[in-house]
Amino acid sequence: MDSKLLCQALIKFFTGLLIVGILLFIPAGTISYWQAWLLIGILFIPMFIAGLIMMKKTPDLLRKRLNVKEEQAEQKEVIFLSGLMFLAAFIVAGLNYRFRWITLPGWISYAAAVVFVFAYALYAEVLRENAYLSRTVEVQENQKVIDTGLYGIVRHPMYMSTLLLFLSMPLVLGSVISFVIVLLYIPIINKRIRNEEQVLEAGLEGYTDYEKRVRYRVIPFVW
């Protein structure tokens, strides 16, 4: 096992856990914010398990996923806007719990948690199907077009899964206001997809033909 990669992964994992906890519990003014604990559980437990599996079976893919240094200015802007969106959504969710601005019934949080876990499973399947998957927009050496499985349905199944993940997240937290904030993810990710496809069309052989075969980017028959 690559000890350096393990250390890097653990640092990122616990840093993310700490940041999410701070952003949720401090605005909430209490650690009794049960929806926050629910989100942390369904977010970080599968993440930890997936990380261990990737560490053992596909360390190169894990290394790619940990590489978040975008080179393109347009993608840096997307990451910045996404960060602001999550910052606002988490803080507002905590404040909503503290001040009871809009209270949703508990079953909505549980139903959203089911959607979240389902989306996580989709995300895991995408990782299994596409060994070239990176968190940066690039064409890798010897990369080939993947057109099987979910990639035969939509061109960007990873973004399909993250769309479900991110939109269900504020509902798990019981905050309809945060849900409205996270709707901003749609234009943000659309900007990323269009730039990504320009890169793939220019540098990945066969991608233009793939676009003709698979018409939809994210949602079948819709987008």
Side-chain angles (χ1 to χ4, degrees):
M1 184 176 290
D2 187 332
S3 58
K4 182 178 179 181
L5 180 60
L6 176 62
C7 183
Q8 182 186 7
L10 288 175
I11 289 173
K12 292 220 171 191
F13 176 83
F14 286 109
T15 299
L17 179 60
L18 178 63
I19 290 173
V20 170
I22 289 172
L23 291 177
L24 290 174
F25 292 119
I26 290 181
T30 178
I31 60 171
S32 298
Y33 183 8
W34 68 269
Q35 290 102 324
W37 286 113
L38 176 60
L39 177 64
I40 287 172
I42 61 177
L43 174 61
F44 286 100
I45 292 175
M47 185 186 297
F48 186 79
I49 294 171
L52 290 178
I53 294 172
M54 292 172 69
M55 177 70 65
K56 183 177 181 180
K57 294 188 174 182
T58 55
D60 289 339
L61 180 57
L62 178 60
R63 195 172 287 107
K64 291 175 188 175
R65 300 302 300 162
L66 292 174
N67 178 18
V68 294
K69 295 180 180 179
E70 286 285 359
E71 299 295 333
Q72 299 188 41
E74 191 167 356
Q75 294 303 329
K76 290 179 180 179
E77 181 183 353
V78 166
I79 291 174
F80 176 73
L81 292 174
S82 299
L84 286 181
M85 179 193 72
F86 280 114
L87 183 68
F90 284 158
I91 291 174
V92 167
L95 292 173
N96 183 76
Y97 181 84
R98 174 186 283 191
F99 297 111
R100 306 294 179 181
W101 291 329
I102 301 176
T103 303
L104 297 177
W107 67 264
I108 290 181
S109 293
Y110 291 118
V114 172
V115 174
F116 186 93
V117 172
F118 170 73
Y120 230 139
L122 286 180
Y123 190 86
E125 176 61 16
V126 173
L127 289 176
R128 188 193 67 80
E129 288 179 348
N130 190 355
Y132 302 105
L133 205 59
S134 171
R135 294 185 71 179
T136 58
V137 174
E138 60 182 349
V139 176
Q140 301 171 41
E141 185 178 357
N142 299 321
Q143 182 172 343
K144 298 178 181 179
V145 173
I146 306 296
D147 59 1
T148 57
L150 293 173
Y151 284 90
I153 302 172
V154 293
R155 299 201 297 268
H156 301 279
M158 184 184 71
Y159 297 133
M160 176 176 65
S161 62
T162 57
L163 183 65
L164 287 173
L165 283 169
F166 296 163
L167 291 180
S168 61
M169 203 176 288
L171 297 179
V172 173
L173 293 171
S175 175
V176 69
I177 303 174
S178 293
F179 178 79
V180 173
I181 293 173
V182 174
L183 287 175
L184 292 172
Y185 179 69
I186 296 174
I188 290 173
I189 203 60
N190 185 58
K191 181 181 179 68
R192 179 178 177 89
I193 288 172
R194 290 186 179 279
N195 175 250
E196 182 174 323
E197 290 196 331
Q198 289 174 355
V199 173
L200 294 173
E201 288 166 359
L204 181 57
E205 183 179 355
Y207 192 80
T208 302
D209 291 334
Y210 169 65
E211 289 178 306
K212 295 175 182 177
R213 295 196 306 273
V214 180
R215 293 177 53 196
Y216 299 101
R217 289 187 171 101
V218 180
I219 304 174
F221 309 108
V222 177
W223 176 15

